[in-house]
Amino acid sequence: MEVTFRNAHGELSSRDRAYAVKKFGFLDRFLNSASRAEVVHREENHEHIVEVTVFADGKTIRSVEHNLNMRAAIDNASEKLMNQMRRAKDKLVRRKRA
C-alpha cells in the first residue's frame, strides 16, 4: 500500500513517518484493493491531529484522531481504520454469500 504524507502545520520527523508507514501499511490485508492511504498531520495548541484517508474498492474510509503524543494519535487512527475496514470486508463477504 502506498502511504503519502501532507503536513498542513507542523513538521513530521522521519521516525514518525516510518512508524506511520508501518502502522498503515498493513491495512491492505483487509481489503485487497486498498491501494493508497493519505496521511495529513497538523499541530494545533501542542496537540497532534492525524487525518488518514484510505481509498479502496471505490470507497473512502477516513479517520481523524487528536492526541498530545504523535505516536498515540497514529495508533488510535490505525485502530479506528482497522475496525472500519473489517466491517466493510464483512459486509462484502455477507453480500457474496447471500
Side-chain angles (χ1 to χ4, degrees):
M1 175 185 288
E2 177 188 350
V3 180
T4 58
F5 295 92
R6 290 188 308 151
N7 289 336
H9 300 288
E11 194 60 35
L12 195 60
S13 70
S14 61
R15 291 180 70 197
D16 288 335
R17 283 179 189 259
Y19 186 74
V21 167
K22 182 179 134 188
K23 292 299 269 188
F24 299 127
F26 76 94
L27 291 173
D28 60 349
R29 72 179 179 188
F30 292 103
L31 293 173
N32 293 333
S33 65
S35 60
R36 186 168 58 105
E38 186 176 287
V39 180
V40 178
H41 169 253
R42 286 193 317 245
E43 201 171 326
E44 294 177 2
N45 298 330
H46 304 290
E47 185 175 59
H48 297 277
I49 302 169
V50 176
E51 299 176 12
V52 184
T53 307
V54 177
F55 302 97
D57 280 339
K59 297 180 190 222
T60 304
I61 302 171
R62 191 164 185 274
S63 173
V64 178
E65 285 298 321
H66 306 260
N67 205 315
L68 294 174
N69 185 353
M70 178 64 187
R71 291 191 177 203
I74 291 171
D75 287 339
N76 292 342
S78 70
E79 284 290 320
K80 189 183 281 188
L81 281 171
M82 188 170 56
N83 289 335
Q84 289 176 358
M85 291 181 81
R86 185 178 294 133
R87 278 185 280 158
K89 183 176 181 176
D90 289 344
K91 190 184 267 188
L92 285 173
V93 170
R94 279 196 310 257
R95 283 186 188 158
K96 287 182 181 178
R97 288 183 184 168

